[in-house]
Amino acid sequence: MGQTVVLRCKIDDDGTTTKREVRLPEPFIIGSSVQVAIGEKEARSVAASREGRGSRYLLRTSSRSIVDKLTKLTELIDGTQIEIFLHPTLNTVQGLVFEPDSIDTDEKVIEKNLRSEGVQAVRRIKKRVNGKLQNTPLLVLSFSGTVLPSYVFFGLLRISVKQYYPSPMLCFKCGMYGHSQKMCQQPGICLRCSQPLHVADGEQCNNTPYCFHCKNGHSVKSRDCAKFKEEDKIVHLKVDQGISYTEARRRYNDDNKRETIARIIQDQLKQEIATKDQLIASLQQQVATLAKELESQKSSLNLRTPCLSPAASNVQRSSKHHSSQKPPATTTQSIPTTKHAETRESRKDGAFLEPPLDKADHIRVLRSGIVRSRSRSGKRQSETSPHDTNSSRGKRSLTQPTASQNTIDIDE
């Protein structure tokens, strides 16, 4: 069924100093020492866990021969003196069974019949009815070893075994958890009002209930106490992980500290988020107020603007319409009247035109009868007037044009 041994530093022979809380060497040294003592293959079957922040090791194995070899190990490979012994409490597991047919059977008889199945002790759970204890069909079986069996046989009946979680140990003398009344050395108190013991055994206290653990109005024995719930969680941790009560309390306190720190950080983040939300809400309110003021300013400006009559508005509308229209392009070419006007670019071929003639020159050109035109290539061509009857039409004239001939610049 498995056994658990404890590995720790050896205590001095004189007893004046203790090395129980001295930290053991690194895990590789302990693993190598165990492999040398029992063999590499057997060492792989040993399950190990740490206790006391590394001052103790719990070694679990299902082989009796491995346990015998481990208990003979007294020194690690680095020279550290150690001792290995069976754990005083973790080599027994408890299970709960429900057997109504054996409700009146004596516990000693049940233990005797179940001893072959590894049962060491049997305890029946009883309840108080009208001041008297009565048997229940629930039995607590204590098995030797570290593994709880799934079932046991009551004769031919196969009864399933469930994990048993004992109630937290409360001292009925001082009201503290973790030890019994027989081991208590503290002064006694009243478990109802938390005052120094003021009633004799068998008498009942009439004071208002008060718990000194959580400062609430209930007795010290109440299951609603926060201290009781905490101790119950520690017991569940001890049973589920197969560790000692001291180690379970230490782990619970460490986990509780981490949860407390995480809760504090979470509360701080929530507070910061709430502050930012308030700031955003105030800014949004200011923006809404400014928007309302802007709308009121716009409305006041619209009221101050004078209204136009319908006729004036129509005139204004028509003027805008006429101004938006572009003047139509003229097809006829206007003759410039100034002599020294700048040359301008043609619309079609991009060639430059000669400066316009003045009035006297224009009349003289018209009288000459010669029409000067410009081709698309930009070259000037001289043509005789259609009224000219000269036989050499189309040929270059060697004579100068007369005053009766007319010339006109035309852009093709």
Side-chain angles (χ1 to χ4, degrees), residues 16 23 58 103 112 164 170 192 207 216-217 252 299 305 341 392 394 412:
T16 56
R23 191 178 182 85
L58 298 183
I103 190 171
K112 180 180 178 180
Y164 173 68
L170 175 66
R192 178 179 173 83
N207 295 337
N216 289 325
Y252 177 82
S299 61
T305 303
S392 61
E412 291 182 355

Side-chain angles (χ1 to χ4, degrees), residues 306-319:
C307 298
L308 298 176
S309 61
S313 62
N314 291 334
V315 172
Q316 185 179 4
R317 215 178 292 116
S318 63
S319 64

Side-chain angles (χ1 to χ4, degrees), residues 63-130:
S63 174
R64 181 66 184 178
S65 61
I66 293 178
V67 173
D68 295 338
K69 293 179 181 179
L70 287 175
T71 53
K72 296 178 181 179
L73 183 63
T74 59
E75 185 179 2
L76 300 179
I77 58 176
D78 64 341
T80 304
Q81 298 294 320
I82 62 170
E83 57 180 353
I84 300 179
F85 55 92
L86 291 174
H87 198 282
T89 60
L90 295 184
N91 286 310
T92 301
V93 292
Q94 291 182 327
L96 186 66
V97 298
F98 179 81
E99 173 47 39
D101 294 341
S102 304
I103 190 171
D104 295 328
T105 306
D106 187 67
E107 300 172 13
K108 296 295 183 181
V109 175
I110 297 175
E111 178 183 345
K112 180 180 178 180
N113 287 276
L114 296 179
R115 191 174 296 276
S116 60
E117 299 186 45
V119 176
Q120 292 182 343
V122 177
R123 179 174 63 87
R124 184 180 296 277
I125 296 178
K126 299 181 180 182
K127 64 179 180 179
R128 188 176 296 276
V129 179
N130 297 328

Side-chain angles (χ1 to χ4, degrees), residues 261-272:
I261 295 173
R263 193 181 303 111
I264 292 173
I265 296 174
Q266 188 175 5
D267 293 340
Q268 291 177 354
L269 291 177
K270 288 182 178 179
Q271 187 176 1
E272 291 178 359

Side-chain angles (χ1 to χ4, degrees), residues 145-158:
T146 59
V147 181
L148 185 70
S150 301
Y151 55 86
V152 292
F153 286 95
F154 277 68
L156 298 177
L157 298 176
R158 180 174 173 174

